[in-house]
Amino acid sequence: MEINNNTSNFIKNIVKEDIDSGKHKEIVTRFPPEPNGYLHIGHAKSIVLNFELADEFKGKTNLRFDDTNPIKEDTEYVESIKDDVKWLGFKWDELYFASDYFEEMYDKAKLLIKKGKAYVCDLTPEEMKEYRGTLTEPGKESPYRNRSVEENLNLFEKMKDGDFKDGEKVLRAKIDMDSPNMNMRDPIIYRISHTNHHNTLNKWCIYPMYDFAHPLEDAIEGITHSICTLEFEDHRPLYDWVVKECEMKSVPRQIEFARLNITNTVMSKRKLKLLVDEKIVDGWDDPRMPTIAGLRRKGYTPESIRNFCRAIGVAKASSLVDSQMLDHFIREDLMPKVPRTMAVLKPLKLIITNYPKDQVEMLDIENNGDNPEAGIRKVPFSSEIYIDQDDFMENPPKKYHRLYLGNEVRLKGAYFVKCNDVIKDEEGNVTEIHCTYDVETKSGSGFTGRKVKGTIHWVDAKMAKKAEFRLYEPLILDDEEGAEGKHFLEQINPNSMEILDGFVEPFMEDAKAQDKFQLVRHGYFNVDEKSNEDKLVLNRIVSLKSSFKL
């Protein structure tokens, strides 16, 4: 399927108008994650949007870490975010941290105080909530709102010097307690936090709030278009107020778009962190996680994620995207690229009683039937092979075309075999089936005799290599994520991962992490990063087919 890169994009139209009008000579965007967790697929949409928008107009994109809350932030997250952006195929022009600007932000806060636009407030969080009012009732002014400039400067200095405890005082912008926009009712712009910062260590014990820091960061860096998600639309008046009242030379424009929501998918770093902390998953890169690291480990490619992000487009209205749409793009990307091979996930031994016991035949089988240039591989075949348990039934229903007593099928790339007998254990389970083969029916021999309706895959039992297969289902049982902790965790799918021990063709012994294969009839698989010489671990990326229509 072709990706329509000309899909309507209202942000692109805004940027084009700004360039055509001469408002901007060069477009500068930014991707500004907070380093408080790993990036997820929703962030990928923002990355693709910001970087490709700047690229299209020959502009620049900065990677900036909004590290204004040291309690939640960590260097591990900083490095993971860098890796994710690079892996997705993008290169930032400049790398910045919000903490690079702490001194300038502090000076701008003092400027607001001197202009009578900010004050130190002693209200407790509970009192501040009471004073704030509601959506239908105006707020009340803080009793500390009219402190003198000198007193506010002195108190703010003491806040910086560590003379007060966490939460004892805050710095608030003085705007309008009657504003219908709650964000404009004297918002907090600085708080006290005696916490070691990953970048500035213990230099600061006061930290700017996001709504104060972010517009300043954009203005300092000369960002022309500050693209964010819709939840920040009501914050835009405060964004513009900060830029204006702090007398910034550069005036960025904030533009909001609908965030990405995907069925059966957690799109909250807080909830994802809870899954990690509660050990429900095997870390941030667990293949069941919608993190970029998890998608990479599962086997998704950068191309498939970029194409997915382009196809869903950019809009103002929120919508829910079917998770199968992402699967569609990984199939499209892998189908012509990866080699096809055979694997048995639930082994059942098949013995060909009339095949020479000591003979091993090397069969020529195509690596990818859709791509002749992929060539052929040599596959060993002998009197003992494994087939999948699902390809044999003792009492089959009508129209069952695989193996059963008296029936004949083709072994893919090999011969016709007919089932003559079965061996069972004490509990009556079939443990081995005995067949005979027809030497005249070898694939590619030009045989034109009788036909069979079924073809099944197999691996040679004598030379096959052991492998662990991990099959995944959605981690969340339904689309209603739930609001908080307990309810959310109750929706975890207990069957989100199934582990099977089986066999693969011998050439896969040398497979390395991130090598990808199409396992005949089973789907696309990726070699897990935790594979080793003793055990090959394969993650199923996606099944072969889906009912999803793009």
Side-chain angles (χ1 to χ4, degrees):
M1 190 203 83
E2 291 186 6
I3 304 301
N4 182 6
N5 290 318
N6 296 315
T7 301
S8 177
N9 180 331
F10 76 96
I11 298 178
K12 187 188 299 184
N13 295 336
I14 292 172
V15 172
K16 188 176 186 304
E17 289 173 6
D18 287 346
I19 291 178
D20 292 344
S21 68
K23 182 178 180 179
H24 298 294
K25 292 183 179 179
E26 182 181 52
I27 297 302
V28 185
T29 62
R30 83 288 173 269
F31 175 60
E34 182 182 1
N36 63 348
Y38 280 57
L39 300 182
H40 55 62
I41 184 66
H43 296 106
K45 177 179 178 179
S46 181
I47 292 170
V48 171
L49 173 59
N50 278 285
F51 279 88
E52 293 195 344
L53 188 67
D55 287 344
E56 181 170 344
F57 292 98
K58 297 180 172 57
K60 296 179 180 178
T61 302
N62 297 338
L63 173 60
R64 181 211 305 147
F65 292 96
D66 260 320
D67 56 345
T68 59
N69 187 3
I71 294 175
K72 297 181 178 180
E73 296 158 357
D74 195 277
T75 303
E76 174 192 352
Y77 302 138
V78 171
E79 295 306 315
S80 74
I81 290 169
K82 290 179 185 177
D83 291 342
D84 288 346
V85 174
K86 291 177 183 175
W87 179 77
L88 280 172
F90 298 105
K91 183 179 180 182
W92 53 85
D93 290 277
E94 302 291 346
L95 176 65
Y96 295 117
F97 291 83
S99 52
D100 295 339
Y101 314 129
F102 279 174
E103 196 72 50
E104 186 168 354
M105 290 177 187
Y106 175 71
D107 289 340
K108 292 299 181 182
K110 289 197 296 184
L111 173 64
L112 292 179
I113 293 173
K114 291 174 183 178
K115 293 172 66 174
K117 299 287 186 178
Y119 62 97
V120 175
C121 185
D122 299 1
L123 290 179
T124 65
E126 293 76 18
E127 291 170 332
M128 201 172 296
K129 183 178 180 181
E130 179 186 344
Y131 274 62
R132 195 179 184 211
T134 66
L135 291 173
T136 56
E137 298 176 353
K140 296 186 299 182
E141 292 186 356
S142 165
Y144 308 101
R145 197 173 194 265
N146 296 314
R147 279 172 162 157
S148 67
V149 169
E150 292 73 18
E151 184 181 5
N152 281 317
L153 285 173
N154 180 54
L155 289 172
F156 191 47
E157 184 83 15
K158 287 185 176 181
M159 285 172 61
K160 180 179 77 74
D161 291 341
D163 291 353
F164 304 113
K165 298 176 183 177
D166 290 3
E168 193 172 346
K169 296 182 188 297
V170 295
L171 182 70
R172 297 175 68 179
K174 186 188 288 187
I175 307 179
D176 182 6
M177 291 303 294
D178 292 332
S179 174
N181 186 331
M182 301 286 282
N183 297 296
M184 300 298 281
R185 295 183 185 178
D186 291 9
I188 299 172
I189 58 176
Y190 260 93
R191 81 285 203 192
I192 301 169
S193 180
H194 293 272
T195 306
N196 205 49
H197 189 281
H198 76 96
N199 201 21
T200 59
L201 304 179
N202 60 357
K203 181 178 179 180
W204 296 89
C205 63
I206 57 170
Y207 293 96
M209 301 297 288
Y210 177 88
D211 278 344
F212 179 68
H214 194 78
L216 293 180
E217 296 157 26
D218 285 345
I220 292 168
E221 294 175 17
I223 301 301
T224 57
H225 299 83
S226 180
I227 303 168
C228 56
T229 46
L230 277 179
E231 61 261 38
F232 292 102
E233 188 171 24
D234 290 341
H235 296 246
R236 194 198 315 154
L238 178 55
Y239 181 101
D240 294 338
W241 184 91
V242 170
V243 172
K244 178 183 177 182
E245 295 299 339
C246 288
E247 302 175 9
M248 304 305 293
K249 293 180 180 179
S250 175
V251 180
R253 177 178 180 177
Q254 177 174 304
I255 307 171
E256 306 86 17
F257 70 97
R259 63 179 294 171
L260 174 61
N261 295 299
I262 303 178
T263 57
N264 301 97
T265 306
V266 183
M267 301 292 276
S268 160
K269 276 196 286 187
R270 177 180 59 81
K271 291 180 178 179
L272 293 175
K273 187 175 187 301
L274 184 62
L275 293 175
V276 174
D277 293 343
E278 294 293 325
K279 300 189 184 303
I280 293 169
V281 295
D282 178 27
W284 286 95
D285 68 342
D286 187 297
R288 293 167 291 178
M289 293 279 272
T291 56
I292 295 175
L295 292 169
R296 178 170 62 242
R297 183 176 165 194
K298 190 176 182 183
Y300 284 84
T301 61
E303 296 85 354
S304 65
I305 295 175
R306 292 198 303 266
N307 287 338
F308 168 72
C309 292
R310 292 166 188 152
I312 58 179
V314 180
K316 268 284 189 182
S318 295
S319 61
L320 189 63
V321 176
D322 192 325
S323 59
Q324 293 184 80
M325 186 175 179
L326 179 58
D327 294 343
H328 166 83
F329 283 100
I330 187 62
R331 287 191 191 94
E332 289 286 307
D333 187 43
L334 294 182
M335 185 172 65
K337 293 181 180 179
V338 301
R340 294 176 187 175
T341 182
M342 294 186 289
V344 173
L345 278 57
K346 297 178 181 178
L348 174 62
K349 182 167 280 191
L350 183 155
I351 296 178
I352 305 173
T353 56
N354 64 333
Y355 192 92
K357 286 187 176 181
D358 297 328
Q359 179 174 309
V360 176
E361 191 175 353
M362 301 304 292
L363 303 176
D364 291 335
I365 298 181
E366 290 180 318
N367 283 325
N368 189 329
D370 293 329
N371 181 8
E373 295 181 2
I376 61 172
R377 68 187 185 282
K378 297 289 185 180
V379 181
F381 180 84
S382 69
S383 62
E384 295 185 12
I385 62 173
Y386 289 118
I387 65 169
D388 262 304
Q389 292 175 16
D390 294 340
D391 284 337
F392 174 82
M393 289 189 73
E394 196 171 4
N395 299 299
K398 290 182 178 180
K399 297 185 179 181
Y400 182 82
H401 299 307
R402 284 168 273 178
L403 264 183
Y404 54 89
L405 281 170
N407 193 40
E408 193 172 38
V409 299
R410 174 178 288 285
L411 297 175
K412 183 175 176 61
Y415 300 93
F416 287 10
V417 292
K418 183 178 181 180
C419 181
N420 303 309
D421 191 18
V422 298
I423 305 296
K424 300 181 180 180
D425 60 19
E426 294 178 354
E427 297 177 354
N429 299 311
V430 174
T431 59
E432 190 173 285
I433 57 179
H434 291 176
C435 297
T436 51
Y437 88 115
D438 184 343
V439 69
E440 301 295 331
T441 59
K442 184 176 181 180
S443 290
S445 65
F447 174 75
T448 57
R450 66 190 184 284
K451 296 181 178 180
V452 291
K453 292 184 177 180
T455 299
I456 64 175
H457 62 280
W458 53 275
V459 293
D460 183 79
K462 297 176 182 178
M463 300 182 68
K465 302 301 177 185
K466 289 184 178 179
E468 177 180 292
F469 303 91
R470 297 182 178 182
L471 311 183
Y472 300 101
E473 295 295 336
L475 190 58
I476 303 299
L477 287 170
D478 55 50
D479 300 334
E480 299 297 326
E481 290 185 21
E484 296 294 337
K486 185 178 180 181
H487 182 59
F488 162 62
L489 294 180
E490 285 178 348
Q491 293 172 293
I492 301 301
N493 181 3
N495 302 312
S496 60
M497 179 172 65
E498 180 182 11
I499 298 178
L500 301 172
D501 290 313
F503 297 92
V504 294
E505 292 182 30
F507 86 94
M508 290 183 66
E509 181 178 35
D510 297 326
K512 305 181 296 297
Q514 289 298 314
D515 283 351
K516 296 168 178 59
F517 303 89
Q518 184 194 114
L519 304 189
V520 174
R521 290 175 55 203
H522 288 301
Y524 294 95
F525 284 73
N526 183 57
V527 179
D528 190 83
E529 295 169 1
K530 296 186 179 180
S531 287
N532 54 52
E533 293 180 358
D534 298 326
K535 182 171 65 174
L536 181 67
V537 178
L538 291 160
N539 299 319
R540 184 161 69 183
I541 311 167
V542 66
S543 60
L544 287 178
K545 295 181 180 179
S546 169
S547 59
F548 177 78
K549 300 293 183 183
L550 193 64

